[in-house]
Amino acid sequence: MPDLLLELFSEEIPARMQAKAADDLRRVVTDRLVAEGLVYEGAKAFATPRRLALTVHGIPARQSDLKEERKGPRVGGPDAAIQGFLKATGLSSLDEATIQRDPKKGDFYVALIEKPGRATLDVLAEMLPVIVRTFPWPKSMRWGKRSEKPGALNWVRPLHAITATFGLETEEPDVVSFAVDGIEAGQTTYGHRFLAPAAISVRRFEDYEAKLLDAKVVLDPQRRKDTIVTDAKQLAFAQGYELVEDQVLLDEVAGLVEWPVVLMGSFDPDYLKVPGEVIRATIRNNQKCFVVRDPKTGGLAPKFILTANIEATDGGKTIIAGNERVIRARLSDAKFFYETDLKTRLEDRLPKFEQIVFHEKLGTQAARIARIEKLAAEIAPLVGADATKTARAAKLAKADLLTEVVGEFPEVQGLMGKYYALAQGEDASVAAACEEHYKPQGPGDRVPMDKVAVAVALADKLDTLVGFWAIDEKPTGSKDPYALRRAALGVIRLIAENALRLSLLKVAASALMGLRAKSAQEPDKLTADLLSFFADRLKVQLRDQGARHDLVDAVFALGGQDDLLMVVRRVEALGKFLDSDDGKNLLAGTKRASNILAIEEKKDKRKFDGAPDAALYKLDEEKALAKAIGEVAAEAGAAVAKEDFAAAMRAMAKLRPAVDAFFDEVKVNDDDASIRENRLKLLNEIRSATRAVADFSKIEG
């Protein structure tokens, strides 16, 4: 079947937009093809700085013929309805319609409409200009004289040429005939702007990709990335260094070049006195260059790697010199900022926070720091941290936000706090907390292990959460402008990965004490609502780790479960138990008991929650179940008290044979009302016994 080749050739597309644009092009074209009844075999899109390209292969040469039955008005219906039916269906008279018999609703006219399929080439010529005109660029522009006319094309950058061909691999393809804003589709594209700017005539994708490569254009972004990384590593290795890899920078650089040429430059080793992260941020942000590491020292080497878009006649000497000149100036600025910052102690910067508003309803940044300092000191003994060091760290942790370096490179906030704290002689734990109190900032981020850092990180995140809960600025749907979901997940990871025993309700209540004047909510309701939010976040966390979210519901349903570490351990033990045959069968038996109770309680409009009367047991299976429940409840309760949840689950497993036997041999709804009531109370005992470990009614399956 025929293939489609489409290229939209323009001025340079911003690197940050290219990947999404390629994906959007593939999506909108293929969605439209399917909507037209043209099911394809495969599609792939590409982007370079100057072009978006798409190949779709295995498209039918024409649409299938369509047959459609369209129901019309009743026989004998109003003339206006009949005339409208004839017009809509294209029938010249009712003689061309059939009559559908319906004994209940009456007879109806039905039109059989046959619509012959169109040639795919015609469909493409109709749909492609619409796609080009409505392409979803985040930002677009108009240009030239045409921009003065109504309906002028909006595109991310001036569009110069459109290539669109369609045909079989074995034949000369057809050009898809259409034009957009005076730009006619054809078979002509262009190579590299400087190395091979001449026009190129192309037929189909394989021919197109090969001719572009000859014209110094690597079409596939992944191939450009591979070239850059391989050449950069080899260049660094040849001089005894290692490339500091940076995937985000690599993605951007690959979007800046069509023909990557990797070169190495150098800078004055004196700049290495500046922290390596600042050097890297300077070189990365200003010149889009990679840095290299000296494996002997583990620190940065006075070298950088750049990616040019041209094979220079002088081997790149001029390009390297130009980049060195700019980087030298930028590093000089960074060194000046760093040395200037060192002249002012962190605590001397704090008064400025009195004039900086954190949130209009939550006060200044200074007030927030004071709250975090107080809360961190309260958390410190709970996590085994030194309270004095923790308070000091909490006080200084935000101070680097006011430094010159962080003002220039916001991504090094926290990290610079550590460097400045160490430079002024602060304790190592205090310095570590300055850097790590923001962590973890995502699922792949490292969790602090230093106890002082953990205490400050918890205080920082909990103050944020409680504060925004107090002013009723909670996340809604997909909107979370203050990253509160991330903060909650951070708290969960800090607790779980440091194996911390912490009552979230008590800590949240302490955090709320400093916000009483800001909160219009009842404290107990606020903390309970926040705990529910943590439960939802914990479900997300455990689900990402492969655990079942319903087990989290089953544990939280017991009430008072605000020790997240114990919740996690209980969920883990419950999950293992339910994977066993004993667990599956006990769950089934417990659910059966709960279902029967729910039906009978609804019928009788009462609860069967009293203790059963042993004198009313008529069958051995009743007696055996009652005995098992008594033993298991005591054993499981003792195990839970010791926080040995695996032992509690093993105890629960002993219920299984007694529950199975009871349901096999005992008729719950006995004709004798007192026997029936007693047996329902016994079922309630099953439900109560299992609640020692979880609410089994919340478990799916």
Side-chain angles (χ1 to χ4, degrees):
M1 288 193 286
D3 300 340
L4 167 69
L5 167 64
L6 175 66
E7 184 204 65
L8 304 166
F9 180 80
S10 70
E11 295 294 329
E12 276 72 8
I13 303 167
R16 67 183 183 280
M17 297 183 187
Q18 291 172 21
K20 184 177 184 302
D23 188 59
D24 284 342
L25 182 63
R26 179 194 55 78
R27 176 180 52 80
V28 294
V29 171
T30 55
D31 284 356
R32 185 66 185 271
L33 285 171
V34 172
E36 294 286 351
L38 297 167
V39 180
Y40 61 97
E41 292 179 2
K44 192 168 183 181
F46 306 88
T48 80
R50 302 177 73 204
R51 70 199 78 226
L52 291 180
L54 172 71
T55 174
V56 186
H57 60 272
I59 308 173
R62 63 182 302 110
Q63 295 171 315
S64 300
D65 294 341
L66 295 177
K67 291 185 178 181
E68 177 189 359
E69 283 191 354
R70 187 173 299 181
K71 192 175 182 180
R74 286 188 176 88
V75 174
D79 185 62
I82 290 173
Q83 293 304 318
F85 168 66
L86 293 174
K87 184 177 180 181
T89 56
L91 301 183
S92 57
S93 71
L94 289 177
D95 294 338
E96 297 177 7
T98 59
I99 297 175
Q100 180 177 306
R101 307 293 179 183
D102 189 329
K104 294 183 179 179
K105 296 183 179 180
D107 298 344
F108 289 85
Y109 289 113
V110 174
L112 179 62
I113 303 172
E114 295 188 12
K115 186 179 179 183
R118 292 190 297 161
T120 300
L121 195 64
D122 295 335
V123 175
L124 290 170
E126 182 181 281
M127 64 181 255
L128 290 179
V130 176
I131 288 171
V132 173
R133 284 192 171 277
T134 60
F135 197 78
W137 291 110
K139 289 185 178 181
S140 56
M141 62 181 289
R142 293 185 297 174
W143 62 92
K145 291 185 178 179
R146 292 196 194 95
S147 66
E148 300 172 0
K149 299 178 182 178
L153 175 65
N154 280 276
W155 196 250
V156 63
R157 293 291 185 270
L159 184 66
H160 293 315
I162 300 172
T163 298
T165 67
F166 180 73
L168 294 168
E169 185 178 349
T170 55
E171 299 175 1
E172 189 68 22
D174 292 307
V175 171
V176 183
S177 180
F178 68 93
V180 178
D181 213 32
I183 304 168
E184 292 192 11
Q187 293 179 263
T188 302
T189 186
Y190 300 87
H192 191 282
R193 182 185 290 275
F194 305 111
L195 300 176
I200 304 167
S201 179
V202 297
R203 298 192 304 277
R204 56 183 55 83
F205 178 73
E206 291 76 11
D207 167 63
Y208 165 77
E209 186 177 33
K211 284 184 175 177
L212 281 183
L213 192 62
D214 289 342
K216 306 297 185 182
V217 175
V218 179
L219 181 65
D220 189 344
Q222 188 56 52
R223 185 171 174 182
R224 296 199 298 276
K225 292 175 193 177
D226 292 343
T227 298
I228 293 167
V229 169
T230 301
D231 291 356
K233 284 182 176 179
Q234 289 178 350
L235 198 56
F237 180 76
Q239 298 199 31
Y241 302 128
E242 296 173 345
L243 175 71
V244 177
E245 296 190 45
D246 185 330
Q247 186 61 51
V248 174
L249 178 59
L250 177 62
D251 292 342
E252 184 175 7
V253 170
L256 297 173
V257 297
E258 289 194 320
W259 188 254
V261 177
V262 177
L263 304 167
M264 179 179 278
S266 60
F267 57 86
D268 190 335
D270 187 54
Y271 290 123
L272 294 177
K273 295 174 183 176
V274 178
E277 294 85 355
V278 177
I279 293 173
R280 182 179 179 186
T282 302
I283 292 175
R284 180 187 195 272
N285 295 1
N286 290 301
Q287 286 303 102
K288 312 302 178 189
C289 295
F290 298 87
V291 294
V292 297
R293 183 189 299 113
D294 186 341
K296 297 174 185 175
T297 64
L300 294 186
K303 300 283 184 179
F304 63 89
I305 289 179
L306 65 97
T307 307
N309 188 37
I310 190 171
E311 291 176 344
T313 54
D314 64 354
K317 291 179 182 178
T318 303
I319 295 172
I320 292 170
N323 278 268
E324 287 177 341
R325 185 168 57 253
V326 175
I327 284 175
R328 182 168 58 251
R330 295 290 181 256
L331 287 177
S332 179
D333 290 343
K335 185 171 181 286
F336 173 77
F337 292 151
Y338 177 62
E339 291 173 348
T340 300
D341 286 340
L342 287 173
K343 295 174 183 177
T344 305
R345 293 179 65 81
L346 290 173
E347 59 264 42
D348 293 339
R349 300 180 183 277
L350 297 178
K352 288 187 180 179
F353 282 128
E354 295 284 358
Q355 281 74 50
I356 298 174
V357 175
F358 170 64
H359 187 281
E360 61 179 353
K361 294 181 181 179
L362 293 172
T364 64
Q365 186 72 280
R368 180 167 185 257
I369 290 169
R371 292 196 304 269
I372 294 172
E373 184 180 350
K374 183 175 181 297
L375 184 59
E378 292 180 22
I379 292 173
L382 303 178
V383 302
D386 180 279
T388 303
K389 292 179 182 177
T390 300
R392 177 69 174 169
K395 184 176 184 177
L396 300 179
K398 304 292 183 185
D400 71 336
L401 294 174
L402 298 174
T403 62
E404 297 289 342
V405 169
V406 173
E408 186 73 15
F409 306 109
E411 65 268 32
V412 296
Q413 67 184 42
L415 177 68
M416 295 313 299
K418 178 187 76 172
Y419 283 124
Y420 296 141
L422 290 173
Q424 69 182 43
E426 298 291 342
D427 183 87
S429 289
V430 172
C434 289
E435 177 188 10
E436 297 183 339
H437 77 282
Y438 292 109
K439 297 180 177 295
Q441 291 188 297
D445 198 12
R446 178 174 57 84
V447 172
M449 293 296 166
D450 180 278
K451 296 184 186 304
V452 171
V454 169
V456 179
L458 284 170
D460 182 34
K461 291 169 177 57
L462 286 167
D463 176 79
T464 298
L465 287 160
V466 173
F468 284 106
W469 244 251
I471 62 173
D472 200 26
E473 291 275 1
K474 306 168 191 173
T476 56
S478 60
K479 294 183 179 179
D480 186 10
Y482 304 110
L484 301 181
R485 293 187 179 95
R486 186 176 70 186
L489 282 171
V491 171
I492 290 168
R493 288 189 63 200
L494 282 162
I495 290 172
E497 295 182 35
N498 283 284
L500 301 178
R501 304 299 307 277
L502 207 65
S503 168
L504 272 181
L505 287 174
K506 290 181 181 178
V507 176
S510 293
L512 188 57
M513 289 295 291
L515 290 158
R516 281 289 170 85
K518 313 288 184 185
S519 177
Q521 297 188 52
E522 187 69 30
D524 290 345
K525 183 180 183 302
L526 186 150
T527 51
D529 187 36
L530 185 57
L531 184 62
S532 176
F533 181 70
F534 273 108
D536 289 339
R537 295 301 93 204
L538 183 58
K539 278 188 264 185
V540 172
Q541 174 81 357
L542 292 176
R543 185 171 61 237
D544 290 345
Q545 295 172 0
R548 291 167 47 178
H549 66 87
D550 56 326
L551 303 190
V552 180
D553 287 331
V555 172
F556 270 104
L558 299 179
Q561 304 297 310
D562 71 334
D563 184 334
L564 294 187
L565 181 64
M566 290 301 99
V567 170
V568 170
R569 289 180 177 173
R570 196 184 286 242
V571 167
E572 289 172 351
L574 183 58
K576 289 178 183 176
F577 175 58
L578 292 175
D579 283 339
S580 69
D581 288 339
D582 281 340
K584 291 172 186 172
N585 287 309
L586 180 60
L587 174 62
T590 304
K591 281 187 168 291
R592 186 175 177 185
S594 295
N595 291 338
I596 293 171
L597 277 168
I599 293 168
E600 300 307 315
E601 286 173 347
K602 184 177 180 181
K603 186 191 299 180
D604 289 19
K605 297 180 180 178
R606 53 170 293 204
K607 297 286 185 183
F608 297 96
D609 53 4
D613 185 351
L616 293 176
Y617 295 147
K618 294 172 60 179
L619 302 175
D620 290 341
E621 288 78 11
E622 290 177 278
K623 298 172 185 176
L625 178 57
K627 181 182 178 184
I629 288 172
E631 293 173 352
V632 165
E635 188 178 341
V640 169
K642 295 176 184 176
E643 298 176 351
D644 187 348
F645 301 116
M649 300 302 166
R650 289 195 296 272
M652 284 288 118
K654 296 177 183 178
L655 267 182
R656 177 200 165 181
V659 171
D660 290 348
F662 178 86
F663 281 119
D664 286 343
E665 303 297 334
V666 178
K667 178 184 177 184
V668 176
N669 287 321
D670 194 86
D671 295 335
D672 185 325
S674 60
I675 299 294
R676 170 181 173 271
E677 180 178 344
N678 205 56
R679 288 175 178 170
L680 288 170
K681 287 181 177 179
L682 189 56
L683 292 188
N684 190 61
E685 291 288 292
I686 298 174
R687 188 165 61 180
S688 298
T690 55
R691 281 184 67 86
V693 293
D695 184 345
F696 276 45
S697 68
K698 301 290 184 183
I699 301 173
E700 297 174 1

